[in-house]
């Protein structure tokens, strides 16, 4: 039975991971669950279960980290971070949280001396422009965003702490996870979520990429399943570097609209207008064919097909 810590527990992915872990706690599969974030939307809510500890604070703060790691966790899902748009707009903040905050967490875990399993959420943003014609497990990351550079630093650090025997790290590179709620500081790729959500809810949507613009997508439930699976992979099956790409569905904006039309009726197609924003395509809408041999061999799966992805993304 494990003592689990989730950082970024009140974020889009963190909330979904935490909910799943609370179910496991109730099922007697976990010993305790600690949720850490800067703050929580439902701050006043009281957990009936005293094995769930919720901590509001900055993971870069030593006192906050000390509380969050007492008792020492045996499994950590490190999901706290500054995501792509904000990391690009505010370099100092991205560096502070994504790199310096991550080092603070790893150091705290190292000094506790318990060698926990640490699952980190990296991003396909470690690949930069010009994107290669195809990407597989051997494609070298070469980020051209601050966010991608910070994520790659995290991957390298986690591999190093693991090589030293201090942590048992696993980094999964997430594709665009859908369908996240609208957010001012959202991901640069959040148009994928907006496209699905707005059209599904009967609204009009102006798409900032053309119908041919291709994305790598994973629904939130499939993302949660992948993160939980990453914690369970036997250490001797992990690849060198302990980081790998997750399987994702590759789809064009036009194909997504077509799938939404199948699901919600012909009028969907009339509510979308394509107005490509210059410069977006190279990093965000030109994702090439993806092969994920390592992840496939370890049992990771994407949603299967676009119709299922849309159902999963919308929680149907
Ligand atoms: N959503 C995606 O499509 C996607 C894709 C690739 C990678 N990721 C990565 O997955 C992780 C979760 O992403 P998300 O979409 O849920 O992002 P999110 O912004 O919704 O959640 C991140 C959470 O981290 C918290 N946080 C930020 N700074 C903190 C600090 N100093 N101390 C404690 N908590 C802090 C925020 O308050 C927020 O709740 C991030 O690391 C992100 O980079 C997400």
């Amino acid at each position: 039975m494990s003592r689990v810590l989730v950082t970024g527990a009140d974020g889009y992915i963190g909330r979904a991971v935490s909910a799943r872990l609370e179910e496991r706690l109730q099922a007697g599969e976990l010993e305790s669950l600690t949720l850490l974030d800067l703050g929580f939307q439902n701050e006043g809510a009281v957990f009936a279960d005293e094995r769930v500890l919720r901590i509001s604070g900055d993971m870069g703060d030593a006192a906050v980290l000390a509380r969050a790691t007492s008792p020492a966790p045996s499994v950590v899902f490190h999901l706290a971070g500054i995501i792509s748009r904000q990391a690009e707009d505010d370099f100092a903040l991205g560096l502070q949280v994504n790199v310096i905050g991550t080092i603070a967490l790893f150091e705290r875990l190292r000094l506790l001396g318990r060698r926990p399993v640490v699952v980190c959420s990296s991003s396909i943003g470690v690949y930069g422009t010009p994107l290669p014609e195809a990407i597989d497990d051997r494609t070298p990351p070469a980020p051209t965003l601050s966010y991608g550079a910070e994520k790659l630093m995290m991957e390298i650090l986690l591999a190093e702490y693991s090589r030293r025997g201090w942590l048992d790290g696993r980094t999964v590179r997430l594709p665009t996870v859908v369908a996240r709620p609208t957010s001012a500081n959202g991901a640069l790729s959040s148009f994928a979520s907006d496209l699905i959500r707005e059209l599904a809810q009967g609204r009009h949507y102006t798409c900032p990429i053309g119908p041919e613009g291709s994305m790598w997508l994973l629904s939130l439930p499939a993302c949660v399943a992948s993160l939980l699976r990453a914690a369970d992979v036997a250490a001797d099956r992990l690849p060198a570097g302990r980081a790998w790409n997750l399987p994702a569905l590759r789809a064009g904006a036009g194909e997504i609209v077509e799938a939404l039309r199948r699901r919600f009726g012909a009028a969907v197609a009339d509510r979308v207008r394509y107005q490509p924003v210059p410069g977006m395509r190279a990093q965000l809408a030109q994702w090439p064919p993806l092969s994920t041999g390592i992840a496939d061999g370890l049992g990771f799966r994407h949603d299967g097909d676009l119709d299922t992805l849309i159902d999963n993304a919308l929680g149907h």
Side-chain angles (χ1 to χ4, degrees), residues 24 44 75 98 154 183 192 275:
R24 284 195 175 180
V75 179
N98 293 343
M154 178 184 74
S183 148
Q275 200 170 58

Side-chain angles (χ1 to χ4, degrees), residues 8 10-14 36-38 57-60 79-83 97 121-123 147 151 174-177 180:
D10 201 46
Y12 165 56
I13 296 173
L36 169 65
D37 206 304
L38 290 174
D58 183 344
M59 70 173 171
L79 306 174
I82 299 301
I83 57 178
V97 177
S121 53
S122 185
S123 161
Y147 175 70
K151 288 293 181 188
L174 303 180
T176 297
V177 181
R180 72 177 297 132

Side-chain angles (χ1 to χ4, degrees), residues 88-223:
E88 203 56 16
D89 291 350
D90 188 341
F91 177 76
L93 179 66
L95 192 69
Q96 183 59 41
V97 177
N98 293 343
V99 181
I100 298 172
T102 294
I103 293 174
L105 173 68
F106 290 178
E107 275 297 275
R108 172 72 187 162
L109 296 172
R110 176 176 76 86
L111 294 172
L112 285 170
R114 302 289 182 87
R115 196 173 183 263
V117 167
V118 179
V119 176
C120 282
S121 53
S122 185
S123 161
I124 58 172
V126 298
Y127 299 109
T129 59
L131 289 168
E133 284 179 10
I135 290 183
D136 64 22
D137 293 319
R138 291 180 308 275
T139 309
T144 48
L145 288 172
S146 298
Y147 175 70
E150 291 154 9
K151 288 293 181 188
L152 185 55
M153 289 183 232
M154 178 184 74
E155 290 186 10
I156 293 168
L157 277 169
L158 189 59
E160 176 59 6
Y161 276 74
S162 301
R163 183 188 69 82
R164 290 274 195 163
W166 296 326
L167 306 179
D168 179 358
R170 299 100 198 279
T171 304
V172 286
R173 295 188 188 126
L174 303 180
T176 297
V177 181
V178 290
R180 72 177 297 132
T182 317
S183 148
N185 289 325
L188 286 166
S189 59
S190 59
F191 57 84
S193 291
D194 297 341
L195 175 68
I196 294 171
R197 184 179 4 81
E198 295 303 293
L199 294 180
Q201 292 178 359
R203 291 190 284 266
H204 286 80
Y205 183 66
T206 302
C207 187
I209 63 168
E212 75 297 336
S214 57
M215 296 162 258
W216 291 350
L217 302 173
L218 193 64
S219 73
L220 182 59
C223 169

Side-chain angles (χ1 to χ4, degrees), residues 18 31 55 102 104 189 212 242 286:
S18 303
E31 190 178 321
I55 296 175
T102 294
S189 59
E212 75 297 336
R242 289 173 172 255
Q286 213 169 12

